Amino acid sequence: MNLVTRLKRSVIFVLTLGVFGCASDNQDEPQAKYLVSDVAFVNGHVFNAEDGFVDNVFIVREGAVIANVKNLTSDFSGKIVDLAGKWVIPGLIDMHTHSYGNFIPNAKNDSPGTEVIAQRILKAGVTGFVDLFGYEKKLFEVRAKQRSGAFVGADMYTSLTCFTAPKGHCSEYGIPTRTVTTVEEAKSQMDDLAQYKPDVIKIVYQPTDDQPSISKEVFAQLVKSADEFGIKTIVHIKTWQDVRDAVEVGASAVTHVPRGKFLWMCLF
């Protein structure tokens, strides 16, 4: 039994974000004319953020929902997929992974490679993942291979590498990373990385940690340079003060939750 068949037999039928994320702004209105290539999904309990689960019919054309209607009209000439009471949700994304390997029981390290990890993630029902640091060249190559259609797996988004201080976090794994100590280095390293089009930028900023950290000045420059390329930044932090600093310099998001008193805030 192949992967697609197994997924279709799941209790929860998961659609990728390519379907829900690229939906037409006018998807609640029936289209004037359907195409033979359109696909209608019927008899499923479909989740949306506004209404919860609804028993609608939705019609997909080239990966986008073009109609979300109560009933299928008689003029529909495309393919019909009967979900037979299955529950339909948008695709799930794992927002923090390292696809070079996993620790498994008995302290063994399982390292099948990013391509296999992407396939395993999809088999588990997760349709996308964000890899926040690994072997930069390999991640670049696997992402290009996937986007060319060479293999099927969960959609891959990646920072390719991470920015850190010399001997800072990320450097301890024996994987080459981008280390910076000055504003000038931050600019030049970002200029170099940007040509490989990372989906996000990973920055390590934890000045109170036992390991060395970049300065706030260098941190601010990395965020500024990433913004100039239109790339969002995700920051590895340790304390709530690190989070405050991330907000101050304009970072997009932080990863990990500090210990101590909880603090409400939003990052943009």
Side-chain angles (χ1 to χ4, degrees):
M1 187 183 298
N2 63 31
L3 176 60
V4 173
T5 302
R6 286 196 296 267
L7 286 176
K8 285 184 177 179
R9 292 189 179 182
S10 298
V11 175
I12 299 179
F13 188 94
V14 182
L15 292 182
T16 67
L17 285 177
V19 171
F20 282 91
C22 300
S24 164
D25 290 336
N26 202 29
Q27 61 179 298
D28 289 330
E29 297 297 327
Q31 302 298 298
K33 184 177 181 180
Y34 292 119
L35 304 179
V36 174
S37 58
D38 293 343
V39 181
F41 294 87
V42 302
N43 298 326
H45 307 299
V46 185
F47 179 82
N48 67 56
E50 291 183 356
D51 305 315
F53 283 100
V54 294
D55 296 337
N56 281 7
V57 172
F58 57 98
I59 300 171
V60 176
R61 177 181 298 167
E62 296 180 353
V65 175
I66 63 167
N68 186 348
V69 295
K70 291 293 183 184
N71 299 292
L72 191 62
T73 57
S74 59
D75 64 343
F76 184 78
S77 58
K79 179 180 179 181
I80 299 175
V81 177
D82 188 349
L83 300 182
K86 291 182 172 65
W87 301 85
V88 184
I89 63 173
L92 304 174
I93 296 181
D94 188 333
M95 292 299 294
H96 192 151
T97 69
H98 299 289
S99 60
Y100 53 79
N102 303 291
F103 285 107
I104 57 177
N106 301 317
K108 296 179 180 179
N109 192 25
D110 175 37
S111 302
T114 297
E115 183 174 336
V116 173
I117 291 293
Q119 293 167 344
R120 288 179 180 177
I121 290 174
L122 181 59
K123 183 179 179 181
V126 177
T127 58
F129 67 100
V130 181
D131 189 300
L132 291 177
F133 170 63
Y135 290 95
E136 181 177 324
K137 183 174 183 293
K138 186 64 177 177
L139 287 172
F140 176 77
E141 292 172 349
V142 175
R143 185 186 62 174
K145 184 178 178 182
Q146 184 191 61
R147 293 182 182 179
S148 72
F151 73 92
V152 175
D155 292 336
M156 176 183 177
Y157 306 94
T158 178
S159 65
L160 299 176
T161 185
C162 83
F163 287 97
T164 190
K167 297 185 178 180
H169 177 61
C170 286
S171 68
E172 66 267 43
Y173 304 108
I175 299 174
T177 188
R178 292 183 181 257
T179 57
V180 292
T181 57
T182 67
V183 167
E184 290 71 26
E185 287 177 344
K187 291 178 181 177
S188 63
Q189 286 277 11
M190 189 67 73
D191 287 346
D192 183 64
L193 180 62
Q195 67 182 310
Y196 301 103
K197 301 186 183 303
D199 300 291
V200 296
I201 298 297
K202 168 76 175 289
I203 302 171
V204 175
Y205 176 75
Q206 44 185 25
T208 62
D209 193 61
D210 295 335
Q211 294 175 291
S213 174
I214 59 174
S215 67
K216 187 176 179 181
E217 181 184 26
V218 170
F219 180 21
Q221 182 59 54
L222 287 169
V223 172
K224 179 181 177 182
S225 295
D227 284 346
E228 290 171 354
F229 286 106
I231 308 173
K232 294 185 181 298
T233 47
I234 297 179
V235 189
H236 172 105
I237 52 84
K238 184 176 181 181
T239 70
W240 286 116
Q241 185 56 52
D242 299 345
V243 178
R244 295 184 184 95
D245 290 347
V247 173
E248 187 174 324
V249 303
S252 307
V254 298
T255 184
H256 304 304
V257 178
R259 296 179 180 180
K261 187 177 180 181
F262 185 74
L263 173 67
W264 287 99
M265 62 174 54
C266 295
L267 299 182
F268 300 95

